[in-house]
Amino acid sequence: MGSRSSHAAKIPDVDSIRRETGFSQASLLRLYHRFRALDRTGKGYLSRLDLQQIEALAVNPLGDRIIDSFFPDGSLRLDFPGFVRVLAHFRPVDEEEDGNRDPKEPEPLNSRMNKLRFAFQLYDLDRDGKISRHEMLQVLRLMVGVQVTEEQLESIADRTVQEADEDGDGAVSFLEFTKSLEKMNIEQKMSIRILK
Amino acid sequence: MRVQALVPFGPWSWCLFLATLHCCGASSKLNRSTDSSAQRELNVRFAAASSQPAETISVFTLDYDYVQIPYEVTLWILLASLAKIGFHLHRRLPGLMPESCLLILVGALVGAVIFGTDHKSPPVMDSSIYFLYLLPPIVLESGYFMPTRPFFENLGSILWWAGLGALLNAFGIGLSLYLICQVPAFGLGDINLLQNLLFGSLISAVDPVAVLAVFEEARVNEQLYMMIFGEALLNDGISVVLYNILIAFTKMHKFEDIEPVDILAGCARFIIVGCGGVFFGVIFGFISAFITRFTQNISAIEPLIVFMFSYLSYLVAETLYLSGILAITACAVTMKKYVEENVSQTSYTTIKYFMKMLSSVSETLIFIFMGVSTIGKNHEWNWAFICFTLVFCQIWRAISVFALFYVSNRFRTFPFSIKDQCVIFYSGVRGAGSFSLAFLLPLSLFPRKKLFVTATLVVIYFTVFIQGITVGPLVRYLDVRKTNKKESINEELHTRLMDHLKAGVEDVCGQWSHYQVRDKFKKFDHKYLRKILIRKNLPKSSLVSLYKKLEMKQAIEMVESGVLSSTAFSIPYQAQRTQETRRLSPEDVESMRDILTRNMYQVRQRTLSYNKYNLQPQTSEKQAKEILIRRRNTFRESVRKGHSLPWGKPAGTKNIRYLSFPYSNPLPAGRDVKMAEFTDHDGSDSELPPITFNTHSPAESIQERRWTAEAIPMKSLHRAGTPPRFGYQRSASREERLGRGRRAILRPKPLFHAVDEEFESEEEAPAFGSLLSSELRPGGDCNLSHSPLLQRK
């Protein structure tokens, strides 16, 4: 580990990344190694292809959507800051950090709101800020086994939207989404331990 | 078959039990009444021109003595197997108590039967039989199925914990008991220090793997799992080594004769025995891997080679007074990687199952023997000794856990929390190992052997039953899960989504630790070891055709299972349904929730799944297959359109299929409609977005370069938006049938990277990766695996 600290210099813009994401130096280094390892052909950025090579993602029902969330705005290249930025959402929430935070600064990427926003965008593909019934149905389809009939899925989707929808527009906005999950421990659910 | 709660025996086993009883009764009667004629009857069978001609030819004779031993052993094993069947048929039992509980119960039952019928049980267990025949399969199995990557990642912690833990426990318990023995009131004064130490060493042999199944549900993290596993693995070896050393000490005449030199020699011997065993194991592992390289023409002997070499490593190590257990473990670990690639598919399956079978049989026999010993007259009960043994076992385990982990946490990247340590402490369940060692104590050196056996039995029963049954709830409690049953459908759905999301992102992050060491080893492995040890030139065509067959099989299965019903598609996507807010009755909601809960895909278990008594279940494999099939079925459109998720697809779009042949020329348009049936599968040798060839860099074939080269123009061709389009008349309906119109998602066509997965991403998904590829085995220097799952080693 000691010999690797020299590698920190190799990471471009390491300080701004640190500030933005809140990762420790060690974690950033590890992520950098991971980034380089994923980038097999040594391009310096990641493409969708590289992420699709991760076999475990192939059997993840949401695999494609997860990959897409790494490529915001339809871009085709993922550079290291972008990579880290997405992963920063999954950093465990540190209680102290929260208290010391300067309220004027933007919310850290791993705040509850930002985590929820990240999850929200997995549903909301057309980025209109709302999860329509159709989008909900799509996600349901992805996540449920083949033995459930289409009608059942539709009624479940209906019900899901109905439960969360408060203003009756037939879609779930972000605020409604957060409200429906207020009892859930998002900080723990969407945190990956190793990303301290 | 409904099975009552705590009666895990099926009806057949009762019949068998009664039959046993009858046989025992019959045989004992036979024994008693026909002592004199027994000899004659026996000899009748063999003596052709015997001295005493029988008076008449008896039409029907019962000759039980001839078959007694194998007969009874077989009956025992069968009984235990039937009990296991019954145990697993009950849905909740396996999660409640470890399987060793069951085995002990069966053993006790058999013991009761034997005791009740006054039958002399066959001498199955004595020292040589145990150490030569019963123990190696058990150790081999745990060594073989050990997941290597996490093991080596945590090797330092595991060695520290298992090694020092065993020593600490052994000496701690031994010394404490010695102090207790000094108290005159207990009447234990004749047990000297060495005997106590020996007892301590054998009682500290834990078998925690037995409880792993119980809290598998709770998803303990990988490191914890590995700790427990590693401890189980090394524990046996260390206990036996200690045991032997202490026996050697005991054989020396007097306690007072032992000098510090002897103690130092003992320590040195401990180290040599351990390391020597490992060394021999590794050597034999390499030899057997090398030999399997040449067995392609006679694949039937491949399992034989594997087993014989492992066994040989054990025997050779034992000959030299090294640790056979560690040898066989090291052999299994070394051998596994290379053998798996070399041997044929069926041999691989055979090896796995046979190993499980052998270890099952061994363990069953040991437990039955334990049961037989329990119910008998060979006991000596001493309240003080036994109670204090129990107490000290727990105390010393707690001390060793908390102390050792406190130290090792300083050096670990991801320290173990107190909860983890509690789980480790509580999973200190003893097993067959302790009993065997106790049973095999030489009576000459240990006049109070019976006391030791009794105490061991009590500890085993206590830990297995009480701890085994309560560890599940404890772990679940510690997990602090919000068991909020009445979750709304929203919460349920979103929770599951987040779980999947988290699992996915974890996979993206991968594992990281000790990069450099592992990289170096991998480089070395590739440069030298694999070249020597792995078969070359496996015919690729057979693998490809196997893959095709597999695809077809899956598609047929899906059709047959009625998945592809056409009704699914009658509702177009963008139909603007009126947003009716129907009031749903609570039952509807309940049933909806039920449907959702039951049918949502399980999150991929990131932690390992090892079951001592069974090979991995097939459900995750099915799920993975389903997901893969679905995803693959929709990987068309977006490639043309150049984006991944074509949301907002207008209704009624036909997802036109076309074949992509990354390594040959694209098919001319206007393919036969008849071929449409097998579009997916026929073209699967090309439509291999899932296939990734994993080759060694030196063996990077020209073929591959060609593929990559050809693939790329293909891809850009697609991007340009003018793909070879093959309109099939039935394509629309077929598409409907085959996927409920899944979104077409960009799949990388040119996946023929000559990349070695092993080099970089550390994903090892043993639970399902190897399952999926178990049907499609890797071979030679090309690892062909189903879907982007690469065969991970």
Side-chain angles (χ1 to χ4, degrees):
Chain A
M1 198 52 184
S3 62
R4 282 200 264 140
S5 57
S6 58
H7 293 210
K10 288 194 189 160
I11 307 175
D13 310 320
V14 75
D15 289 317
S16 64
I17 298 179
R18 275 191 71 183
R19 246 179 298 126
E20 191 187 344
T21 59
F23 277 123
S24 66
Q25 181 98 325
S27 294
L28 268 185
L29 202 53
R30 283 194 213 112
L31 285 172
Y32 188 63
H33 276 285
R34 177 65 177 164
F35 182 80
R36 295 271 300 275
L38 283 174
D39 175 19
R40 298 180 206 197
T41 45
K43 312 184 282 293
Y45 58 87
L46 291 179
S47 65
R48 280 209 171 77
L49 186 61
D50 292 316
L51 287 181
Q52 277 155 345
Q53 298 279 49
I54 303 173
E55 64 257 18
L57 276 184
V59 282
N60 191 318
L62 301 171
D64 298 306
R65 294 198 180 206
I66 296 177
I67 293 179
D68 279 322
S69 63
F70 275 91
F71 295 87
D73 317 319
S75 59
L76 293 176
R77 293 181 177 203
L78 179 64
D79 58 1
F80 183 65
F83 182 69
V84 175
R85 212 170 285 130
V86 171
L87 292 180
H89 284 102
F90 289 88
R91 203 160 64 85
V93 173
D94 193 1
E95 297 301 323
E96 303 173 1
E97 232 176 66
D98 240 8
N100 294 341
R101 210 164 53 74
D102 183 0
K104 280 194 288 233
E105 278 185 18
E107 244 178 270
L109 282 174
N110 64 340
S111 70
R112 186 191 167 93
M113 273 312 215
N114 278 324
K115 286 185 202 272
L116 280 170
R117 224 167 259 141
F118 190 79
F120 188 77
Q121 80 187 44
L122 277 190
Y123 286 94
D124 183 20
L125 296 176
D126 54 8
R127 304 276 187 268
D128 63 353
K130 291 212 252 245
I131 306 177
S132 69
R133 183 192 150 277
H134 178 49
E135 285 167 342
M136 192 69 84
L137 185 59
Q138 280 175 280
V139 172
L140 261 176
R141 272 211 206 99
L142 280 180
M143 298 212 328
V144 174
V146 293
Q147 55 272 32
V148 182
T149 65
E150 186 72 14
E151 290 85 21
Q152 285 171 323
L153 278 182
E154 299 224 351
S155 47
I156 295 179
D158 276 335
R159 172 74 193 170
T160 318
V161 173
Q162 194 188 2
E163 263 183 15
D165 188 16
E166 286 172 2
D167 52 9
D169 59 352
V172 181
S173 71
F174 179 61
L175 287 169
E176 289 162 356
F177 181 72
T178 35
K179 193 130 183 278
S180 71
L181 293 177
E182 62 190 353
K183 281 192 275 174
M184 232 201 307
N185 186 358
I186 304 289
E187 290 86 345
Q188 201 222 11
K189 271 226 166 288
M190 284 192 45
S191 295
I192 298 180
R193 205 164 92 135
I194 52 180
L195 286 179
K196 273 182 304 170
Chain B
M1 176 160 89
R2 284 299 258 161
V3 182
Q4 298 304 316
L6 282 177
V7 179
F9 304 119
W12 286 113
S13 60
W14 286 113
C15 298
L16 215 53
F17 160 56
L18 290 172
T20 322
L21 204 54
H22 180 258
C23 284
C24 292
S27 67
S28 51
K29 267 188 264 172
L30 194 68
N31 278 342
R32 278 192 234 114
S33 59
T34 60
D35 263 328
S36 53
S37 52
Q39 284 300 340
R40 239 192 310 158
E41 306 241 14
L42 259 175
N43 290 340
V44 160
R45 188 185 287 266
F46 294 119
S50 141
S51 43
Q52 292 176 333
E55 288 86 24
T56 54
I57 303 254
S58 44
V59 178
F60 176 74
T61 40
L62 186 67
D63 188 359
Y64 187 66
D65 288 331
Y66 177 57
V67 296
Q68 181 189 2
I69 294 180
Y71 184 70
E72 292 193 356
V73 169
T74 312
L75 271 183
W76 291 353
I77 298 175
L78 211 50
L79 187 64
S81 314
L82 289 170
K84 281 192 202 178
I85 294 178
F87 182 72
H88 281 283
L89 276 174
H90 193 282
R91 231 175 353 133
R92 286 188 45 229
L93 261 185
L96 285 179
M97 59 160 124
E99 213 163 302
S100 27
C101 285
L102 178 72
L103 289 176
I104 295 181
L105 282 173
V106 171
L109 185 73
V110 173
V113 165
I114 291 186
F115 183 70
T117 61
D118 229 2
H119 180 68
K120 187 172 163 332
S121 72
V124 176
M125 183 114 123
D126 66 8
S127 179
S128 59
I129 293 185
Y130 174 69
F131 279 110
L132 286 180
Y133 301 116
L134 292 180
L135 186 58
I138 298 179
V139 186
L140 177 63
E141 184 257 350
S142 52
Y144 194 81
F145 286 98
M146 183 189 70
T148 36
R149 183 194 50 86
F151 182 74
F152 285 110
E153 270 180 18
N154 292 302
L155 186 65
S157 303
I158 291 179
L159 281 179
W160 171 259
W161 160 237
L164 272 186
L167 285 173
L168 195 60
N169 268 314
F171 284 102
I173 297 178
L175 284 169
S176 331
L177 280 176
Y178 179 63
L179 290 174
I180 296 291
C181 288
Q182 298 303 95
V183 175
F186 299 138
L188 299 165
D190 55 339
I191 306 182
N192 62 24
L193 176 65
L194 266 177
Q195 293 179 343
N196 273 308
L197 284 177
L198 194 75
F199 181 67
S201 79
L202 68 88
I203 202 83
S204 66
V206 287
D207 184 25
V209 179
V211 298
L212 279 177
V214 175
F215 56 72
E216 213 175 74
E217 282 255 330
R219 291 196 68 199
V220 292
N221 62 62
E222 189 181 74
Q223 275 84 21
L224 177 61
Y225 209 96
M226 208 54 237
M227 277 294 138
I228 294 182
F229 203 104
E231 185 191 2
L233 194 67
L234 298 178
N235 204 279
D236 269 341
I238 295 177
S239 302
V240 171
V241 169
L242 256 183
Y243 180 86
N244 284 325
I245 291 182
L246 287 170
I247 290 248
F249 267 119
T250 319
K251 284 200 183 124
M252 293 167 62
H253 297 301
K254 277 216 176 127
F255 173 53
E256 291 74 33
D257 280 351
I258 297 178
E259 298 172 13
V261 163
D262 289 323
I263 297 185
L264 266 170
C267 293
R269 178 143 170 215
F270 182 75
I271 297 179
I272 290 182
V273 163
C275 298
V278 170
F279 175 70
F280 270 95
V282 169
I283 300 269
F284 273 95
F286 281 134
I287 295 179
S288 73
F290 184 66
I291 293 190
T292 55
R293 187 177 158 188
F294 302 108
T295 54
Q296 57 257 42
N297 295 326
I298 178 171
S299 50
I301 65 166
E302 279 161 352
L304 196 65
I305 296 212
V306 168
F307 285 111
M308 290 300 114
F309 268 103
S310 323
Y311 194 46
L312 199 63
S313 71
Y314 180 80
L315 294 174
V316 167
E318 286 288 320
T319 317
L320 300 172
Y321 282 105
L322 301 171
S323 165
I325 297 181
L326 291 175
I328 203 173
T329 310
C331 182
V333 170
T334 322
M335 185 169 70
K336 178 178 171 187
K337 230 162 75 111
Y338 307 106
V339 160
E340 276 190 1
E341 294 198 27
N342 276 337
V343 299
S344 71
Q345 171 73 14
T346 40
S347 299
Y348 176 65
T349 314
T350 310
I351 293 175
K352 277 199 303 188
Y353 275 94
F354 205 67
M355 231 178 248
K356 282 282 180 191
M357 188 183 92
L358 282 178
S359 94
S360 245
V361 165
S362 287
E363 196 158 8
T364 306
L365 284 177
I366 296 178
F367 273 118
I368 294 218
F369 219 76
M370 195 166 90
V372 168
S373 307
T374 316
I375 309 201
K377 303 203 183 91
N378 296 353
H379 288 295
E380 186 188 329
W381 186 272
N382 181 307
W383 278 104
F385 191 77
I386 293 175
C387 293
F388 276 107
T389 308
L390 265 178
V391 166
F392 284 134
C393 280
Q394 303 298 333
I395 293 182
W396 278 101
R397 185 161 174 94
I399 293 179
S400 59
V401 164
F402 292 113
L404 290 176
F405 276 102
Y406 178 73
V407 175
S408 79
N409 272 346
R410 301 283 181 81
F411 300 102
R412 283 181 61 87
T413 337
F414 311 119
F416 284 109
S417 65
I418 296 289
K419 278 193 214 155
D420 291 339
Q421 292 173 27
C422 284
V423 172
I424 295 182
F425 155 66
Y426 207 67
S427 62
V429 166
R430 268 73 179 168
S434 319
F435 168 71
S436 324
L437 289 178
F439 192 77
L440 300 173
L441 285 171
L443 198 56
S444 52
L445 297 170
F446 293 86
R448 300 203 63 174
K449 170 179 165 178
K450 288 189 198 167
L451 176 62
F452 289 152
V453 172
T454 312
T456 314
L457 282 171
V458 169
V459 171
I460 293 180
Y461 274 78
F462 179 83
T463 52
V464 170
F465 283 98
I466 309 238
Q467 276 183 246
I469 296 184
T470 53
V471 78
L474 176 79
V475 169
R476 279 183 267 276
Y477 168 73
L478 282 181
D479 227 10
V480 190
R481 281 229 199 114
K482 268 199 222 157
T483 49
N484 189 4
K485 282 289 175 185
K486 288 293 160 194
E487 280 178 2
S488 67
I489 292 191
N490 255 296
E491 281 182 356
E492 188 130 0
L493 180 64
H494 298 319
T495 323
R496 191 57 68 92
L497 178 117
M498 288 188 191
D499 285 337
H500 281 299
L501 174 60
K502 179 170 164 179
V505 176
E506 273 175 350
D507 291 325
V508 172
C509 290
Q511 293 284 340
W512 54 49
S513 47
H514 315 296
Y515 251 156
Q516 285 170 330
V517 173
R518 196 160 23 149
D519 276 349
K520 283 207 192 95
F521 175 72
K522 287 211 158 82
K523 285 200 183 95
F524 172 72
D525 185 36
H526 276 272
K527 269 186 85 175
Y528 302 111
L529 292 178
R530 289 177 79 95
K531 276 208 224 162
I532 304 175
L533 298 174
I534 300 214
R535 226 183 260 184
K536 290 203 193 356
N537 303 325
L538 256 194
K540 291 191 187 57
S541 56
S542 65
L543 286 168
V544 173
S545 60
L546 179 61
Y547 178 70
K548 279 204 264 191
K549 254 193 286 177
L550 183 68
E551 290 258 80
M552 254 199 280
K553 193 170 77 135
Q554 279 172 352
I556 293 175
E557 277 175 27
M558 283 193 79
V559 170
E560 282 174 11
S561 69
V563 164
L564 317 169
S565 60
S566 51
T567 59
F569 232 69
S570 42
I571 308 164
Y573 282 133
Q574 300 285 53
Q576 294 300 329
R577 278 174 53 133
T578 48
Q579 308 288 335
E580 310 155 9
T581 48
R582 306 194 313 262
R583 288 275 143 234
L584 291 169
S585 66
E587 295 88 40
D588 283 343
V589 179
E590 265 310 308
S591 67
M592 253 190 231
R593 191 177 296 133
D594 231 8
I595 294 175
L596 204 56
T597 331
R598 264 186 292 122
N599 289 307
M600 280 205 287
Y601 285 131
Q602 298 293 324
V603 183
R604 183 181 82 85
Q605 291 281 13
R606 193 158 170 77
T607 58
L608 322 152
S609 161
Y610 167 77
N611 191 329
K612 188 167 189 186
Y613 301 99
N614 200 0
L615 285 164
Q616 290 97 343
Q618 306 293 311
T619 48
S620 57
E621 180 186 336
K622 257 182 45 182
Q623 171 182 316
K625 259 197 232 170
E626 240 175 54
I627 298 179
L628 286 168
I629 290 180
R630 280 176 162 184
R631 295 177 79 210
R632 207 168 341 116
N633 286 339
T634 62
F635 304 152
R636 312 273 179 264
E637 283 304 304
S638 58
V639 181
R640 287 190 299 130
K641 297 212 180 100
H643 57 88
S644 63
L645 286 177
W647 35 86
K649 198 159 68 151
T653 306
K654 294 184 184 171
N655 286 333
I656 311 281
R657 294 289 185 81
Y658 55 79
L659 303 172
S660 56
F661 284 79
Y663 58 86
S664 57
N665 295 326
L667 284 183
R671 257 169 89 83
D672 202 22
V673 168
K674 223 186 299 183
M675 307 258 308
E677 270 312 337
F678 300 98
T679 306
D680 246 11
H681 325 294
D682 205 27
S684 63
D685 56 352
S686 53
E687 194 239 284
L688 295 172
I691 294 190
T692 315
F693 276 84
N694 178 2
T695 62
H696 317 296
S697 12
E700 197 174 21
S701 56
I702 308 182
Q703 229 178 353
E704 245 164 319
R705 295 232 181 82
R706 186 162 51 86
W707 288 331
T708 335
E710 292 217 34
I712 293 180
M714 207 55 199
K715 193 167 154 198
S716 53
L717 189 65
H718 297 166
R719 287 263 169 79
T722 57
R725 290 184 54 147
F726 312 114
Y728 299 87
Q729 274 141 341
R730 291 158 55 178
S731 67
S733 57
R734 179 127 203 283
E735 184 66 17
E736 291 160 18
R737 280 191 289 127
L738 257 183
R740 278 196 258 168
R742 304 258 158 243
R743 298 281 176 233
I745 297 175
L746 172 71
R747 289 303 295 171
K749 295 300 184 239
L751 263 190
F752 299 93
H753 281 255
V755 177
D756 205 316
E757 258 285 64
E758 292 205 10
F759 251 96
E760 48 71 50
S761 76
E762 322 300 343
E763 283 84 16
E764 186 174 289
F768 68 96
S770 55
L771 275 181
L772 248 150
S773 349
S774 66
E775 292 174 300
L776 180 65
R777 290 274 337 292
D781 48 9
C782 282
N783 281 346
L784 186 68
S785 58
H786 192 217
S787 245
L789 292 169
L790 295 172
Q791 179 72 17
R792 299 296 334 218
K793 293 296 184 298

